[in-house]
């Protein structure tokens, strides 16, 4: 799957078997590029393709490093620029790199109080 293009998934095609992808589950899709960098795209149910968040980026790096049996630093290409994810046994995950504001707003206190 080419993650440089618009991501369009039809959730009607998802298998509905227990333990397999189902329509109400978000998907993180990862391309491992020839030089070892990653490209991550996220598909959220009801919302479609979204920019990958820090959680998806770190999870993708962890999955690739775990599969390779090697810990260290992985570069993940994002819409805002390259991100660096460093994982070491028994240590916090370090995510660094470009950041961007995806949205801004004002929280209505009345709405919050009604929750």
């Amino acid at each position: 799957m080419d993650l440089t293009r618009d991501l369009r998934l039809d959730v009607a095609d998802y298998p509905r078997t227990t333990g397999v992808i189902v329509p109400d589950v978000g998907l993180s899709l990862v391309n491992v590029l020839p030089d070892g960098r990653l490209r991550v795209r996220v598909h959220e149910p009801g919302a479609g393709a979204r920019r990958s968040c820090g959680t998806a980026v770190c999870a993708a790096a962890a999955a690739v490093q775990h599969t390779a049996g090697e810990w260290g630093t992985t570069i993940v290409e994002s819409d805002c620029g390259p991100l660096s994810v460093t994982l070491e046994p028994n240590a916090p995950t370090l995510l660094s790199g470009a950041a961007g504001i995806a949205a801004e707003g004002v929280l209505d206190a009345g709405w919050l109080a009604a929750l």
Side-chain angles (χ1 to χ4, degrees):
M1 179 177 287
D2 182 357
L3 298 184
T4 62
R5 297 175 183 240
D6 189 26
L7 181 62
R8 296 181 191 268
L9 299 176
D10 185 354
V11 295
D13 292 336
Y14 287 2
R16 287 176 169 65
T17 306
T18 302
V20 181
I21 299 168
V22 293
D24 58 347
V25 173
L27 297 173
S28 294
L29 304 168
V30 181
N31 276 148
V32 179
L33 304 174
D35 62 2
R37 292 175 300 129
L38 306 181
R39 186 175 294 123
V40 180
R41 294 288 301 270
V42 174
H43 185 274
E44 294 291 339
R50 295 287 170 244
R51 292 180 180 176
S52 55
C53 63
T55 303
V57 166
C58 291
V64 169
Q65 288 185 24
H66 176 75
T67 300
E70 298 177 8
W71 298 110
T73 300
T74 299
I75 303 300
V76 181
E77 295 299 325
S78 77
D79 294 334
C80 296
L83 301 171
S84 174
V85 180
T86 302
L87 297 128
E88 298 293 338
N90 304 312
T93 298
L94 176 63
L95 171 63
S96 60
I101 296 174
E104 289 187 63
V106 176
L107 181 61
D108 181 288
W111 175 85
L112 185 59
L115 291 178

